Amino acid sequence: MSHFTTLVIGEDPEAILAPYNENIDVDPYVTSDGDTSTYNPKSKWDWYSLGGRWTGFYIPKVGATVETGTPGVMTAEAKQGTADRLRKRDIDWDAMRRDVEIEATATHNRITEIIGDARLHNAKEFVMSDVAQIFYLNDPDPLASYVADRVLGVGVPFAIATADGWTENGSMGWFGMVRDEKSPDDWRVQARAIMDAAADDDLFSLYDLHI
């Protein structure tokens, strides 16, 4: 089973999520295999929680009216001064970027300390490794490249639901397996376009969806 972040934009987020419920039956239809089914072809979730594993996703501006959801079973309570539901205008994007910069810098420093001078040996297996790619260890300035990449992803969820429909980074399956996944750059551009197009007064709700 899988969990993933979904931003719902709109005044009635549960109504927006309702059409994607795996637990509802639809009128019988013929599948591509020729079988008759009542399974909801729009299914994206079987249960959800506001915040959940990602509770405290947003940092609100001072004085904003916000709501914090319920943490997941293995998740700590949301940090003070964070939120899972608020108006777009009340999100402190600068503070969120600063937090990510600090966290990404610490993570990168830990990784480079763990791997030691492996990069200096220029071993082919290391140069081509996932670790080297993820942390930009072959770049002239690996730390700056990694932090910049992480900052670009600030506030970007796996999927976005609005009254106009559903947009996702890929089709989420069991155990975190994703089909037809977009490149990080392509998805960030697409997700940002949707969020930027939202009105400042629109309600943003960050859900933990399970499928």
Side-chain angles (χ1 to χ4, degrees), residues 2-171:
S2 302
H3 290 259
F4 59 97
T5 53
T6 298
L7 166 61
V8 183
I9 303 175
E11 293 301 311
D12 192 347
E14 294 195 354
I16 292 174
L17 288 172
Y20 309 103
N21 185 354
E22 186 183 49
N23 302 306
I24 61 175
D25 289 332
V26 299
D27 292 336
Y29 64 95
V30 178
T31 69
S32 59
D33 296 328
D35 298 324
T36 300
S37 175
T38 59
Y39 178 79
N40 181 9
K42 294 183 178 180
S43 294
K44 299 296 181 183
W45 57 268
D46 56 6
W47 61 266
Y48 60 72
S49 174
L50 180 65
R53 293 187 176 193
W54 291 274
T55 188
F57 189 80
Y58 294 110
I59 296 178
K61 295 177 181 177
V62 176
T65 299
V66 305
E67 182 179 347
T68 302
T70 304
V73 175
M74 304 289 289
T75 308
E77 296 285 340
K79 294 180 181 178
Q80 186 174 2
T82 61
D84 300 315
R85 177 176 288 148
L86 70 173
R87 301 289 169 184
K88 175 186 170 182
R89 64 168 180 264
D90 292 327
I91 299 172
D92 192 337
W93 295 106
D94 289 338
M96 292 174 65
R97 293 186 188 98
R98 286 195 298 271
D99 269 13
V100 168
E101 286 178 356
I102 293 170
E103 180 181 352
T105 299
T107 298
H108 197 277
N109 288 339
R110 287 197 300 270
I111 289 297
T112 53
E113 181 179 347
I114 290 170
I115 64 175
D117 63 351
R119 182 171 67 92
L120 300 180
H121 297 314
N122 201 32
K124 182 177 180 180
E125 61 270 22
F126 179 78
V127 170
M128 300 302 295
S129 70
D130 289 342
V131 171
Q133 302 303 315
I134 292 171
F135 292 97
Y136 293 86
L137 299 181
N138 300 312
D139 278 27
D141 190 339
L143 176 60
S145 296
Y146 176 72
V147 171
D149 180 73
R150 296 293 298 165
V151 169
L152 286 174
V154 169
V156 176
F158 181 84
I160 300 176
T162 70
D164 294 327
W166 178 278
T167 309
E168 62 188 5
N169 186 22
S171 180

